[in-house]
């Protein structure tokens, strides 16, 4: 059986209180839950799943490890990445595996992995969602961005692995359709989560995914990440290189 996402249900409950804040971040959307209390400067928490301390990288150190490159979208088509496969043949495709793993309240599973009930916390905007149909599964590093920064050279199998990466906790996240579509294919130079409490975690997720898949960063992207890292001094990036 293909390994499923390892993030425990408790992680979703704790996201709003564990992640570090970017003091200059945008405020949450009006319909979101109240933001978590701001962290004290220099006391930002590690990203969920990445314990502070140890041998893991600070966000700034991790950013420095991303190779530089020039983005090129020539030839990109979304269909170049095969989405939502059922790799372990258990009846639940990638989208549903993520929804099950990230549920704050577990949904009921019916025939063909039909999900009903359940509850989720969209960490990008701190919104609680009680209908799976109102959630998108976001590729933290969007497919187009991955193409621009290295995936254009991959074969179809490698791109399918990227698009359905269930073996890393933070490559795919369940978030409100509103925030996912607001983000589209933009990088951190152009978009950050609207909830200030989400931004350090998002930076760690983005950088960890880039390092996991050996993708490059252009100058504007790197500058935006380095600026974010200054407000996330104790955020830790933990990743494994994709096989």
């Amino acid at each position: 059986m293909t390994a499923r996402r390892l993030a425990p249900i408790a992680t979703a409950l704790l996201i709003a209180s564990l992640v570090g804040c970017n003091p200059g971040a945008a405020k949450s959307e009006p319909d979101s839950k109240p933001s978590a209390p701001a962290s004290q400067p220099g006391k930002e928490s590690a990203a969920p799943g990445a314990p502070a301390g140890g041998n893991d990288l600070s966000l700034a150190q991790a950013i420095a490890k991303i190779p530089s490159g020039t983005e090129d979208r020539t030839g990109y088509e979304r269909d170049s990445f095969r989405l939502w496969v059922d790799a372990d043949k258990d009846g639940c495709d990638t989208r549903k595996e993520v929804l099950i793993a990230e549920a704050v309240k577990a949904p009921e599973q019916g025939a063909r992995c039909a999900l009903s009930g359940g509850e989720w916390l969209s960490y990008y905007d701190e919104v609680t969602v009680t209908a799976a149909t109102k959630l998108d599964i976001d590729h933290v590093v969007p497919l187009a961005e991955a193409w621009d920064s290295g995936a254009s050279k991959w074969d179809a199998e490698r791109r399918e692995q990227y698009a359905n990466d269930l073996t890393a906790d933070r490559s795919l996240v369940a978030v409100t359709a509103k925030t996912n579509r607001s983000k589209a294919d933009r990088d951190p130079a152009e978009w950050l989560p609207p909830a200030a409490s989400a931004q350090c975690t998002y930076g760690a997720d983005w950088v960890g995914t880039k390092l996991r898949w050996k993708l490059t960063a252009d100058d504007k992207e790197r500058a935006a990440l380095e600026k974010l890292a200054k407000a996330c001094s104790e955020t830790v990036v933990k990743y494994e290189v994709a096989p």
Side-chain angles (χ1 to χ4, degrees):
M1 179 179 289
T2 301
R4 294 189 181 185
R5 292 166 55 83
L6 303 177
I9 291 175
T11 296
L13 286 165
L14 293 173
I15 284 172
S17 60
L18 284 178
V19 295
C21 293
N22 178 358
K27 294 182 180 179
S28 303
E29 294 294 327
D31 58 349
S32 67
K33 294 171 65 178
S35 298
S39 302
Q40 296 178 7
K43 295 295 182 181
E44 296 83 358
S45 300
N55 296 320
D56 299 316
L57 299 173
S58 70
L59 183 54
Q61 290 171 328
I63 294 165
K65 289 177 67 69
I66 302 175
S68 296
T70 302
E71 293 188 358
D72 182 0
R73 196 159 296 185
T74 302
Y76 170 71
E77 294 181 1
R78 187 173 176 82
D79 290 346
S80 298
F81 296 82
R82 185 184 175 201
L83 289 168
W84 310 159
V85 301
D86 180 10
D88 59 7
K89 309 300 181 185
D90 68 348
C92 297
D93 64 19
T94 301
R95 170 183 165 81
K96 291 176 180 176
E97 296 276 20
V98 176
L99 289 170
I100 292 167
E102 294 199 347
V104 174
K105 177 183 177 183
E108 294 184 7
Q109 297 182 47
R112 299 183 180 178
C113 204
L115 303 181
S116 59
E119 185 175 301
W120 293 263
L121 175 64
S122 167
Y123 96 84
Y124 285 1
D125 49 3
E126 297 178 353
V127 172
T128 296
V129 178
T130 56
T133 55
K134 294 183 179 180
L135 292 162
D136 283 354
I137 305 304
D138 183 40
H139 292 87
V140 171
V141 175
L143 301 180
E145 171 72 21
W147 178 275
D148 296 349
S149 53
S152 61
K153 300 179 178 65
W154 298 347
D155 62 19
E157 181 180 3
R158 186 70 167 173
R159 289 196 287 269
E160 179 180 317
Q161 291 171 348
Y162 179 85
N164 299 273
D165 187 8
L166 291 172
T167 58
D169 290 348
R170 310 302 299 175
S171 294
L172 302 172
V173 293
V175 296
T176 57
K178 177 182 179 180
T179 53
N180 184 46
R181 294 166 196 183
S182 170
K183 171 186 171 182
D185 58 8
R186 294 185 287 177
D187 70 20
E190 303 167 307
W191 187 90
L192 287 171
S197 64
Q199 296 190 359
C200 291
T201 294
Y202 183 74
D205 290 352
W206 180 280
V207 172
T209 301
K210 284 254 169 162
L211 291 172
R212 173 171 170 75
W213 290 93
K214 299 182 180 179
L215 299 171
T216 62
D218 64 18
D219 292 343
K220 288 184 179 179
E221 174 189 346
R222 187 181 302 278
L225 289 168
E226 289 172 345
K227 180 180 178 180
L228 181 62
K230 292 177 181 178
C232 305
S233 60
E234 293 191 7
T235 294
V236 175
V237 178
K238 185 176 182 179
Y239 71 96
E240 294 183 2
V241 175

